[in-house]
Amino acid sequence: DAGVIQSPRHEVTEMGQEVTLRCKPISGHDYLFWYRQTMMRGLELLIYFNNNVPIDDSGMPEDRFSAKMPNASFSTLKIQPSEPRDSAVYFCASSFISRGADTQYFGPGTRLTVL
Amino acid sequence: AQKITQTQPGMFVQEKEAVTLDCTYDTSDQSYGLFWYKQPSSGEMIFLIYQGSYDEQNATEGRYSLNFQKARKSANLVISASQLGDSAMYFCAMRPFTGGGNKLTFGTGTQLKVEL
């Protein structure tokens, strides 16, 4: 089975540009998560969805960040306008809760560099 | 709020030896799950092992086992017969099953280096 798919794997952009990160969760998983990893702050949960509905976006740093999940097999994380401090690795993960237990499976990540 | 503490920023182990990576957690929830992930230098996050707070047996997955001590709020990862490919960053994480939604809280990680 295919795991979580993310694109692009690497993105280099200039400050002020719009960046769109894409994620395809594992088929059948009903939760989708967006994380950001930096050396300074470690792994941070940005937002997560359940059945395509955003449940908790309290980790989204500011209004420049937005996330959508138009259907069960696709999600986007958009940064507009991007800033150098947004440089990080962005992970998408998905999970399926069964009998109270779940495991989040991560995609390979998108390494974003904002110049 | 949940907190995960990994006090070992770096560890060294000889190939074929066993190693224990420490993890303690703080939560007021009675029901929760504990997870370990591996992040090699290539960057992906790989799920290793899961332990539920009400599981009576310690979880095992191949060479990985979780030494779960609920009263001490610790969930140490034990890797037996270390291999060079085990060199990576290891993260402990926790998710409460009540309140907290479906959020995983991660520790700061332990960098493991396996030597010949």
Side-chain angles (χ1 to χ4, degrees):
Chain A
D1 287 339
V4 175
I5 298 171
Q6 290 186 249
S7 65
R9 294 293 308 276
H10 301 272
E11 177 80 30
V12 180
T13 191
E14 293 193 347
M15 184 174 65
Q17 296 298 306
E18 178 180 295
V19 174
T20 299
L21 311 182
R22 296 172 178 81
C23 175
K24 177 180 169 56
I26 294 171
S27 177
H29 283 194
D30 56 355
Y31 281 83
L32 183 139
F33 307 82
W34 282 101
Y35 289 89
R36 177 171 69 176
Q37 186 179 35
T38 61
M39 289 293 292
M40 291 295 294
R41 300 175 68 91
L43 269 159
E44 304 173 276
L45 176 66
L46 300 177
I47 185 172
Y48 76 93
F49 296 82
N50 178 218
N51 292 323
N52 313 336
V53 176
I55 302 301
D56 187 335
D57 65 355
S58 59
M60 295 285 262
E62 47 197 276
D63 291 346
R64 297 184 297 106
F65 286 69
S66 63
K68 293 182 179 179
M69 192 165 185
N71 57 62
S73 59
F74 184 66
S75 177
T76 60
L77 178 68
K78 187 176 293 186
I79 308 172
Q80 166 64 20
S82 57
E83 296 183 4
R85 60 193 167 119
D86 301 331
S87 297
V89 178
Y90 290 81
F91 287 102
C92 176
S94 69
S95 74
F96 171 69
I97 291 185
S98 173
R99 291 175 292 180
D102 70 312
T103 296
Q104 293 184 22
Y105 293 91
F106 283 71
T110 294
R111 183 173 295 277
L112 174 64
T113 303
V114 183
L115 303 174
Chain B
Q2 286 72 41
K3 185 176 179 181
I4 300 286
T5 301
Q6 295 181 254
T7 57
Q8 307 152 313
M11 290 278 287
F12 289 89
V13 65
Q14 295 277 318
E15 193 182 22
K16 300 179 186 177
E17 297 291 312
V19 62
T20 298
L21 306 183
D22 294 341
C23 172
T24 58
Y25 57 92
D26 189 18
T27 182
S28 56
D29 287 85
Q30 297 301 309
S31 180
Y32 48 87
L34 296 154
F35 305 79
W36 278 90
Y37 286 85
K38 172 185 178 182
Q39 187 175 39
S41 58
S42 50
E44 70 269 33
M45 292 284 287
I46 302 167
F47 165 71
L48 295 178
I49 194 166
Y50 163 81
Q51 176 86 44
S53 59
Y54 283 105
D55 293 341
E56 295 189 356
Q57 303 272 354
N58 284 346
T60 60
E61 288 286 350
R63 294 186 300 110
Y64 304 108
S65 60
L66 204 152
N67 184 0
F68 178 48
Q69 298 187 46
K70 191 171 181 178
R72 301 175 92 175
K73 293 190 175 179
S74 74
N76 299 339
L77 177 70
V78 180
I79 306 175
S80 62
S82 297
Q83 302 172 356
L84 295 178
D86 294 333
S87 294
M89 181 73 89
Y90 289 81
F91 291 95
C92 180
M94 193 195 81
R95 179 177 90 74
F97 292 153
T98 55
N102 192 12
K103 293 182 174 182
L104 266 183
T105 300
F106 284 86
T108 52
T110 295
Q111 182 73 49
L112 176 66
K113 175 72 173 175
V114 180
E115 301 174 315
L116 289 170

